[in-house]
Amino acid sequence: MMSAGRVYPQKTVVPALIFVMLNFFAYSPYSGDYMIKYQANVTFIGPMVSEFIENHILILFGESAPEELMEFAIIHDGKNLIKPLAVNDSVQIGESSYKVLAIGEVANTNLANLGHLVLKFNGNTSVEMPGDVCLEEKPLPPIQVGEKIMIYD
Amino acid sequence: MAEEKKYRKVRIKKGPKGWGGPLVIEPKPGRDLIYSVTGGGIHPVAQRIADLTGGTPFDGFKSKAAFEEIAVAVIDCGGTARVGVYPMKKVPTVDIYPTSPSGPLFRFITEELFCSGVRVEDIELIE
């Protein structure tokens, strides 16, 4: 009687645990196909962002950016850079996705410390400035508050 | 009467592969902030300028200040946004990275207002 009582829960607990773990791997950043390195939601769009859009550039900053930088920037709530960006990663903004072609030597530090990213949609495979991240040359995405930004490999 | 703060002057020259300058910075009463707009708190270059001049080190990512209060801005900008923003507001700007005028605001970046590639040893007291 006693031993049967112990066996019974194991039979249900183990499959339940496997089910939970399968779900965890399927939906976590570590799922087989790709890893999400950075995630954020747009919280504010500076009034002068359009000046940079004309030059095929988007400037991103985290929410601690001083006011004078917010003027030119897309402000977002991203916090953790899980893994440094690398060439061939993808940057997704809303529904549009862009392949990373080149990364400046300080771009990852800027992103990790300040949520700061300089995206240049110019198709270049080498950076002009150390903070640049060069992306495919495609039309810039429409940006609005609430839009999701995601970087994955 | 409050004791009047004494400020001193420094000359800041560009570092290896840097551009612009030299800048002469002298904080004044009401305009004495050494404004560090860098990742990870007050940058050693900003701290050095503050130590030599008697200016007040200030973290632009932690608190808010008016442009009129800033004696010099210290940035770690990779070349597009911050390099232009402070010169545009006529604030002398020191970039610790060796950037040259670029980005949509490049026309505001002049040798009189901007100096880059600056290291701690590129700052000297002149008075």
Side-chain angles (χ1 to χ4, degrees):
Chain A
M1 288 290 274
M2 290 293 282
S3 63
R6 258 185 258 157
V7 170
Y8 178 71
Q10 278 180 8
K11 271 187 181 161
T12 51
V13 165
V14 171
L17 260 175
I18 291 171
F19 178 77
V20 166
M21 284 172 75
L22 281 175
N23 270 287
F24 173 76
F25 284 112
Y27 296 107
S28 80
Y30 302 100
S31 61
D33 291 319
Y34 63 86
M35 177 192 185
I36 297 171
K37 296 182 171 183
Y38 199 82
Q39 285 196 81
N41 296 294
V42 174
T43 55
F44 175 80
I45 297 168
M48 291 177 85
V49 163
S50 54
E51 288 226 6
F52 283 85
I53 287 181
E54 282 169 25
N55 290 278
H56 308 280
I57 298 171
L58 285 184
I59 309 281
L60 276 66
F61 266 108
E63 288 179 317
S64 65
E67 226 167 83
E68 64 269 16
L69 299 179
M70 289 194 175
E71 270 185 56
F72 300 91
I74 290 166
I75 304 299
H76 62 83
D77 63 1
K79 295 273 182 300
N80 300 318
L81 177 60
I82 293 165
K83 201 179 161 195
L85 303 199
V87 169
N88 286 328
D89 284 357
S90 295
V91 175
Q92 181 151 345
I93 301 168
E95 299 294 307
S96 319
S97 163
Y98 305 82
K99 192 138 267 188
V100 174
L101 304 179
I103 299 170
E105 56 190 287
V106 305
N108 271 303
T109 314
N110 276 340
L111 180 57
N113 288 338
L114 308 171
H116 177 36
L117 205 50
V118 177
L119 300 175
K120 295 192 172 170
F121 299 76
N122 57 13
N124 289 353
T125 51
S126 64
V127 296
E128 186 191 359
M129 289 310 209
D132 293 357
V133 171
C134 297
L135 302 177
E136 288 173 276
E137 191 176 8
K138 292 199 290 193
L140 270 67
I143 303 261
Q144 47 195 328
V145 170
E147 202 91 78
K148 212 176 182 80
I149 298 170
M150 204 164 76
I151 301 172
Y152 55 91
D153 67 6
Chain B
M1 208 174 103
E3 195 185 321
E4 202 170 301
K5 216 172 167 183
K6 274 275 199 316
Y7 297 110
R8 305 179 77 183
K9 228 186 251 186
V10 288
R11 182 186 291 117
I12 302 170
K13 65 175 174 63
K14 65 183 179 191
K17 295 185 187 161
W19 188 93
L23 304 178
V24 172
I25 302 297
E26 184 184 20
K28 292 193 162 59
R31 195 192 183 98
D32 81 334
L33 299 184
I34 314 300
Y35 190 74
S36 196
V37 205
T38 49
I42 306 286
H43 191 273
V45 163
Q47 190 60 54
R48 178 75 177 156
I49 298 171
D51 290 346
L52 291 179
T53 59
T56 308
F58 189 93
D59 185 344
F61 280 98
K62 289 235 170 72
S63 332
K64 235 175 94 168
F67 290 114
E68 300 72 48
E69 301 171 76
I70 302 173
V72 60
V74 176
I75 60 177
D76 57 350
C77 175
T80 302
R82 281 170 289 169
V83 284
V85 170
Y86 299 97
M88 185 178 74
K89 307 283 185 182
K90 301 284 174 228
V91 174
T93 304
V94 168
D95 194 352
I96 61 158
Y97 296 136
T99 50
S100 302
S102 68
L105 307 174
F106 79 97
R107 64 185 180 277
F108 298 106
I109 305 170
T110 62
E111 290 178 323
E112 293 74 38
L113 280 171
F114 183 81
C115 187
S116 73
V118 174
R119 305 160 302 172
V120 169
E121 57 265 42
D122 296 320
I123 306 155
E124 60 165 351
L125 200 59
I126 51 174
E127 253 170 48

